[in-house]
Structure formats: C-alpha cells, structure tokens
Amino acid sequence: MMTTVALLASVLAVHSPLPAQAQPAPGGALQPGGALQPGGALQISWEVRNRFRLFREERDFLLHAESGRGRSVLAAEQALGMQSDGRGWARNTVNRLCIDLGGRVSEPCTRDNVKESYLTPVDHPVVIRLAGPVPVGATCAWSLDDGEGPATSTIDCAEPINYRARYGRTTAVTVDVSSSDGSQRVSTEIAVRDIFIAGLGDSIASGEGNPDRPVALADEGFCFRSFLGMAYTQYYRPSRAGYKGGRACEAPDLLSVWQRQSALWFNAACHRSLYSYQTRTALALAVQYPHIAVTYLPLACTGATIADGLFGSQRARDCPPSKAGNCQGTVNAQLAELREAVAAAKRRQPDRKLDLVLLSVGANDIYFSGLVADVIVDTATERALFRRSGVLASVDDARGALMRDLPQGFAKLREALKPLVGDMSRVVYTSYANPTLANNGMPCPGGRAGFDIHPSFNADPQRLATVSNFVEAEFLPQLKALALCQSGILCRNPAADRMTFVDAHQAPFASHGFCARAESDPEFDRQCFAANGESFNPDIVTAASQPMMCGRSAGEYRAYSPRARWIRDANDSYFAAMTYPQGLPSSQQPNDIHDATWGVLSAVYGGAVHPTAEGHAAMADAAVPAAAAVLQLDAAIPEVISQPVSPIPALPAR
C-alpha cells in the first residue's frame, strides 16, 4: 500500500504563490473562495490556474489576469496596448496556443508541461491557499478527497497547494491549522466547472483587421500600378520591412519572396485573431471567474455568409507563409467543424456538452463589403471595373437581401444550432456597430482622410450618409428582430427560439467611427495621416525612397496604440496587415506583386472598416455580462464557500 507521503506526491505539489488574485465579478461582488468573508475568519481560497485553456502557458493568462484586475476589457486592452508600445500583446502569445496556425486543435495539448486533451480535459490545475488571519508560523495539515481516498500533507500555512482536480468530481478539502494559539479546522469543496464555448460567424467575429503580429513596414516605398496601366499611374506606398526583392513596378518578383514578411494571424485562412471580441469574451470570463475553466473553439471566418461559411465551405482569405508554397483555397463549413468537435468530445466524455455559442453573422449576406466599396471607390475607371465584376453593391441591393434572404438564412441557422445547444438562449448573438458614426452619432463627413492609401479612394459624403442611415435605421433593427423573433419575424416557438441578443456596445461606438480623431491619438497618426487626404508622396521618383509626406518612417506606426477611432480605416488596414488574396483561385491571381488589383486589395483585405482591438474589447464588455447570465456564473454556490468550524483540541505531539 502506498504511504500517505507517496500518495500525496502523486496529486499535490508545493510551489510559489501565484500573482493572480480572484477577480471581482460584475457589480463588484467578490467570487466565492477568492476573498475573506465578513468577520475575517480563516477560510480556504482556491482558483483554477491558467483557466483559459487556449493558452499553453500560464504566463499568457497571468498577463490578462493582472491587466484585467478591476478593469473593463476595454481598459485592459488600452493598458496592454500602452505596455507593448502599440505592438500588441498577442504578437508572442500567437505561437503558444492549443490550436495551430492551420486551425487544427492540438490533441493532446501540452499546457504548462502537462499533456491534456483540449476538448475533453480529465482534470484541471488548481491552487489552494489558507486565507485570512493566519497565525505566523502556523502548520497546516491538509486533506483532499475526491472520492478515491484522502491525500494528506502537513506544511507551513503560508505555502499554497497545487492540485489536479478531476473533471466532473467534487473534492472535499479540510485543513487543520495548528499554532501556539491552538488549533482550528476549516473545510470547503472544490468543483471546477469547465465551460465549452464556440465562436461562429464572419469577419467581425473572427477579428479581421487585427493581425496577432502586424506587418512590419520599411522606410522605402513599394510600387503599385493603377488600372489604366500607364507609367504616370504608378504610385508608391510603404514597403514591407525585410523585403529584398524588386520594389519598382519594372522589377517584378515572386509572391513567395514577398510573403516572407507577412502579418501573422493565428489562422490566416480566416483571419482569426486573438483580439476578436469572441476570444476576448471567452478570456474575460476565465479572468473574472476563478472557479471555472474555459475551453474555447474559435471557428469564425472572415467573408462568411450563412450559406457560404456556416453551412457550406468558403474561400480562404489568405495563407500563412510556408516553404512548400501550397495554399488550400477553401475553408470547411463552420457548423460541420462544430458538429465534428462536439461529437468527438462526446465519444470521450458522454456528458460533455456545448455550453455557449458566440455568434455574429449577416453583414456579408446583405453585401456590406459591396456597400463599403461603393462608398470609398471614387474614380470612374475603378468604379466601372468593380461594377462589372460585382464588387460594388447599392443600398437597394442590400435592402432586398435583408428582407428576402436573411430571414430565411436565420431560420435555417436556428434549426441547425438547436441540436448543438438545446436552449437557443445559449446562442449569444452580438450585433454589429455602425462604423460610420462619430461626434455623438452623426455620420462621418467623408473625404480622403484615412483612405488616401489608394489613389482611387475617396469616401463620398452622400453615398456614405445613405449607407450610414441604412445601417442605423434598417439593418441593425432587423438583426435584432431576427435574433429575438420580433417585429413580424416568424419563429416556430418564439419563447424557445430567441437568442440572447447583445447591442450595448453600439452607443459607445457612436463616437468612435472611422473618422474619429483626438489629440490623444498616437503622434504618428496625427503627423502622418493628413486630414486633407494627402499623406503620401505623389512623386514616384522621391516616393521610392520616402513615400510619406511627413518624412517619418512608416515603421513608427503602431497598430495597437489606443486611438479615438475604434474602426480601422483603409490606411490602418494597409499599415497593420497589407494582406494579399492568396486564397483566390489561380485564374484570379494577379500577374505579379505590383499588379493594380493588389494595390486595391492590400488596402482593404486586411480589415478596412472593421473594429480595432479597442473596438473588439468594447464589444466584449457588452457580451461578457450576457454570457455570464446565460451560464449563471453569478449564482450563489454555497457548497464551495468555506466555513470555519469551532476550534478543535490541539493535536498531540508526535
């Protein structure tokens, strides 16, 4: 038979205390087990370590636990942005995830040197402490029993206990505290709740516009052609840092050479980003609630519609750089991926269920990118070309799809999600924000400011106002009605078919659209992104060596510095991501890297008119309370609140 000490060694370990503390819940209440009870009695405090299970390493979770202490997600993001000098917190974390860059879940995933099944964990790391007025030099005799016999240890009461709590089991914890003042026994129960969350939807859900590691820019310029194809239609914009190939339009080079200096996404095909509101919502739940673990499965994909993306496969956005140079041009349907993951989890753990779905979809179904193109593409040649290729869309086109196609798509989506979640309230639909508003809800005035990255761009004031009014008065209200089975939207069972709807972020966004500016904006933005839309050197001779009119290096741009606009404009998109459509069919690939098509797409394909990291954080601040309410995370759990008992006689000396 194992000795008590040997048995203990298999489940307990003593380490230095964690810097993370229990977090305040919404409304300021402290979580059970995370703080002293009234009266200052001794109690047992415990929390799950590295409880956002997407992160392989605890240091990445602790960064957010520390920055999120007493702060909103937005305030934490702003603090992290400043702490990283605008380079972003995700630039290193992206290489330390339980999902690889191709979107595949690591099974098993080695987290903090322990191999774990990602979708079906068998246990969770927990740290346990004695809290309260602990006598100096007191000795603690611990006993932990998960139903298979107690494991015991006697150590200094100042030391924490690390323990692997079994999935689906409750562990009874008792500690006898001995000191010169006598002895006392304290008890509690540990029950870790592992919450399985999936993220579905389109570019707003995936985090488009916010690469985990932004592209690095060079001082020198890079040449693009325009559609007219004549010498005087060439123009220069900042090049990628480290690029050694041909920068002049007369010096073409291989795409593979150019792609070595790409921005990095944790899934390039879908432009999934750790900054997305869905990831930040799941992470914030883990930070705020120390007794849970969060297993998060991100599936959202930029460009997705309900038909092509959720139900069917879709075209990949682009591909990560690889030595093989291969690019898989399609992405599997999100619902199929989710069904497969849930089925795989249930095979290993029959009681495993999907607890929550975070969802944002519908914008691509009503051609929103076409509306954006119609607003910002201004020159006659490009408008004619884009109109013939179906890139531009009118408000009438969008209105027709909104009233005709989107209700049918939502009805089909509801029926597909019901078997996965059961209760449709577990689908938290987070609506979009109107990206065109600033100055307390007034539409942006238009013009080239923020869009002069391409010579043909100019946000037309009239078309902009028309689109803004359509979004505000028609699109957003219809989405709410669709999610909540209101305003004539037919649902089979309205009481059971309503999703949980989130739109509290829309009011703050009304002052933070793409045209918002402030004196607190980064100095580079204020000096180099000109209000008159003349940020770039038009002379192709001098622009080859200095493309910025301000004379500063484009490498000084910081994608994750706090700024007034929570929406990426086209300049931001180029400077942060400069994405090229590698996922396009070969028949649509441009002839060389200076092609006019890429000149346009490099300015918008990386997230123009999408939320910044701050915008996504504001969306997460709206979604977190709704998700917590659905999951009942603020419900009292008296069985895990420790209660001191009457002092017991001192243990006899041995």
Side-chain angles (χ1 to χ4, degrees), residues 61-91:
F61 177 74
L62 292 179
L63 176 69
H64 291 275
E66 179 65 31
S67 66
R69 184 174 293 122
R71 292 190 178 111
S72 65
V73 182
L74 174 58
E77 176 58 44
Q78 290 168 335
L80 288 170
M82 296 178 68
Q83 180 180 320
S84 67
D85 189 31
R87 291 175 170 85
W89 57 265
R91 67 192 187 281

Side-chain angles (χ1 to χ4, degrees), residues 4 8 12 14 43-46 127-131 138-145 150-161 172-177 186-188 190:
T4 301
L8 182 69
L12 301 180
V14 179
Q43 74 169 75
I44 297 170
S45 171
W46 65 274
V127 64
I128 309 165
R129 300 181 182 87
L130 182 66
T139 300
C140 281
W142 291 92
S143 174
L144 288 83
D145 190 350
T152 62
S153 177
T154 301
I155 59 174
D156 190 298
C157 289
E159 297 292 335
I161 293 287
V173 183
T174 301
V175 59
D176 290 325
V177 183
V186 187
S187 300
T188 192
I190 291 175

Side-chain angles (χ1 to χ4, degrees), residues 49 53 60 81 111 188 258 306-307 372 375 526 568 573 577:
R49 300 183 68 153
R53 301 187 61 252
D60 294 317
R111 302 181 67 246
T188 192
W258 181 246
I306 293 175
V372 172
V375 169
R526 289 183 281 113
R568 299 282 188 206
S573 176

Side-chain angles (χ1 to χ4, degrees), residues 92 163 188 432 443 518 557 598:
N92 297 318
Y163 176 70
T188 192
Y432 304 92
Y557 175 82
W598 277 356

Side-chain angles (χ1 to χ4, degrees), residues 252-275:
D253 208 332
L254 297 175
L255 176 62
S256 58
V257 178
W258 181 246
Q259 288 297 87
R260 290 171 189 163
Q261 287 77 37
S262 294
L264 181 65
W265 311 79
F266 86 76
N267 180 268
C270 287
H271 279 193
R272 289 182 198 139
S273 166
L274 291 173
Y275 294 102

